[in-house]
Amino acid sequence: MKPIVSKDSVVYFGQECYTALNSYLDKANHSKICILVDSNTHESCLSLFMSKIEKEYDIEIIEIEAGEIHKNIETCSGIWNALSELGFDRKGLMINLGGGVVTDLGGFVACTYKRGINYINVPTSLLAMVDASVGGKTGVDLGNLKNMVGVISESEMVLVDTEYLGTLPVEQMCSGFAEMLKHGLIQDRLYWEKLSDLSKLELDDLDQMIYDSVVIKNNIVFEDPTEQNIRKYLNFGHTLGHAIESFYLTHPSKPTLLHGEAIAIGMIMEAFISSALLSVTSDDLQQISEVILATFPKIEIDPKDYQKIIALLIHDKKNEKGTILFVLLHTIGEAKYNCIVPDELILKAFDYYGSL
Ligand code: GLY
């Protein structure tokens, strides 16, 4: 599979990842290398990754706790301190081996340590392969608010090797699948239709599907790396999805929602709003709802919580001058950003999801 080239980075696939990595390491002459893992990828992915490095380098392993609740500034502090104690200078390299938490947080640590050292992302979850590790967004959560602190700065390269997915739990695979569905909904009806009929997909199709998703994301990021305009499309489903995710994160009595599970709900609700304000037809809305619910079982959201979730929308990063701005769909495959949605329609969207 041909590497996908962005403005400042390259995404490699399969075995070509390691040819590119070894040649980069050979040439770059880093003073030290840190591999950031979490407790899961330390166990399941590190030995495979290490076996692909051909020469001896000065490599340190730094492990963080797995899970979204550790994606915070305290974890970053621990890593900054460790890098400092280990004597990392500006010629150090950080390799983030993990899912979205590791690549987002590790990227942020690298971009800020001594005002920035090089980093490489090696995504090990489907979500990180198709979304988090591509496009240079790095950052951490602030309390329960998602990705509130961070910078956009591309990694040296992204290495997508689907062998790492072998040990990924099914629900984590589904979480990544939500972002792939999003790529179809915002940009490519044909891709959406291919993904929609899971019964026709074989496991062998996965590599191509991941590749197609990265192409869609990369084309958008290439044109608008700092999210001034069309990169906002990638937030479809995320305005309500992030608010729902944040709400569930801070209410331990509620079920735990993975990012993709929350985004799946957000996409159904925002498709409903699109059908009310733009040209999504009722057939398309029904298809979107059915396809998403075929992978993501319905979550019962207590109507008493609707307003509490809506209150969280004020923190959305796309808001301007206090106005909440949504990404909606004109139709499947075509999105629109900066859409203002009346509160009563948001409430109707909760009711629509509840009625499914
Ligand atoms: N995950 C959305 C973006 O990278 O813009």
Side-chain angles (χ1 to χ4, degrees):
M1 277 171 168
K2 259 176 58 184
I4 298 175
V5 179
S6 65
K7 281 213 170 84
D8 294 312
S9 186
V10 186
V11 188
Y12 293 95
F13 295 85
Q15 288 313 303
E16 212 178 311
C17 290
Y18 305 109
T19 315
L21 174 70
N22 281 305
S23 122
Y24 171 82
L25 293 180
D26 219 8
K27 285 194 203 115
N29 197 21
H30 290 104
S31 51
K32 258 177 179 298
I33 299 173
C34 152
I35 303 181
L36 182 71
V37 287
D38 68 17
S39 26
N40 295 327
T41 58
H42 198 167
E43 198 181 316
S44 326
C45 306
L46 185 61
S47 60
L48 171 63
F49 181 73
M50 292 297 277
S51 72
K52 306 287 185 176
I53 298 182
E54 283 163 2
K55 289 197 180 160
E56 291 273 319
Y57 296 98
D58 187 357
I59 296 181
E60 305 282 355
I61 311 295
I62 298 183
E63 182 189 309
I64 59 172
E65 294 289 319
E68 186 74 30
I69 54 161
H70 300 288
K71 190 178 168 184
N72 54 35
I73 209 73
E74 287 77 29
T75 306
C76 295
S77 266
I79 306 170
W80 286 318
N81 277 316
L83 292 173
S84 176
E85 278 156 24
L86 290 164
F88 271 75
D89 61 23
R90 278 191 172 159
K91 288 282 286 172
L93 171 74
M94 190 137 164
I95 300 179
N96 303 316
L97 178 70
V101 172
V102 170
T103 59
D104 279 10
L105 183 144
F108 179 63
V109 166
C111 292
T112 45
Y113 180 74
K114 297 203 171 177
R115 299 209 177 91
I117 61 173
N118 287 344
Y119 76 99
I120 290 175
N121 279 339
V122 188
T124 58
S125 71
L126 185 57
L127 179 89
M129 287 179 189
V130 296
D131 188 24
S133 71
V134 179
K137 276 193 182 173
T138 73
V140 291
D141 301 341
L142 189 63
N144 65 335
L145 301 174
K146 296 270 305 168
N147 304 329
M148 286 292 276
V149 179
V151 296
I152 299 181
S153 178
E154 289 266 21
S155 59
E156 295 295 290
M157 57 175 76
V158 181
L159 310 179
V160 176
D161 178 359
T162 49
E163 215 180 318
Y164 295 112
L165 296 178
T167 53
L168 197 69
V170 175
E171 63 276 12
Q172 294 280 355
M173 283 295 276
C174 292
S175 189
F177 190 61
E179 300 290 354
M180 297 167 80
L181 291 171
K182 177 195 76 181
H183 289 148
L185 286 172
I186 59 169
Q187 200 76 354
D188 188 337
R189 183 183 269 270
L190 213 67
Y191 181 62
W192 157 261
E193 275 163 9
K194 265 194 234 160
L195 290 178
S196 296
D197 199 350
L198 274 182
S199 59
K200 289 209 190 101
L201 290 178
E202 307 278 333
L203 202 59
D204 289 352
D205 296 325
L206 186 63
D207 282 29
Q208 187 60 46
M209 293 298 183
I210 292 172
Y211 188 87
D212 293 346
S213 243
V214 177
V215 168
I216 292 173
K217 173 154 188 185
N218 190 58
N219 285 343
I220 292 173
V221 173
F222 198 90
E223 218 173 293
D224 177 25
T226 57
E227 201 169 300
Q228 304 305 307
N229 43 71
I230 62 164
R231 188 166 183 171
K232 293 179 188 174
Y233 292 162
L234 293 165
N235 290 300
F236 176 67
H238 285 60
T239 308
L240 283 161
H242 269 161
I244 292 167
E245 188 181 3
S246 292
F247 181 78
Y248 276 73
L249 260 176
T250 42
H251 289 77
S253 58
K254 311 269 176 200
T256 312
L257 285 188
L258 290 174
H259 176 70
E261 293 168 333
I263 296 321
I265 303 171
M267 287 195 291
I268 293 179
M269 290 174 62
E270 292 176 19
F272 170 84
I273 296 171
S274 304
S275 73
L277 294 182
L278 300 174
S279 339
V280 167
T281 63
S282 50
D283 281 355
D284 279 350
L285 176 62
Q286 192 183 341
Q287 192 203 28
I288 292 169
S289 307
E290 281 172 9
V291 167
I292 293 176
L293 286 179
T295 306
F296 302 91
K298 175 126 169 264
I299 304 290
E300 294 303 330
I301 306 178
D302 187 338
K304 287 205 282 297
D305 295 333
Y306 292 175
Q307 285 297 354
K308 294 179 203 155
I309 295 170
I310 291 174
L312 291 170
L313 295 176
I314 201 67
H315 300 290
D316 193 276
K317 291 187 288 304
K318 293 183 303 308
N319 295 349
E320 286 177 19
K321 297 184 182 156
T323 306
I324 297 156
L325 297 172
F326 281 74
V327 176
L328 299 179
L329 301 177
H330 279 298
T331 178
I332 295 178
E334 202 186 321
K336 180 175 192 265
Y337 59 82
N338 288 359
C339 303
I340 297 177
V341 178
D343 270 6
E344 4 11 304
L345 193 53
I346 302 177
L347 283 170
K348 279 193 187 148
F350 275 102
D351 286 338
Y352 170 72
Y353 178 74
S355 72
L356 292 171

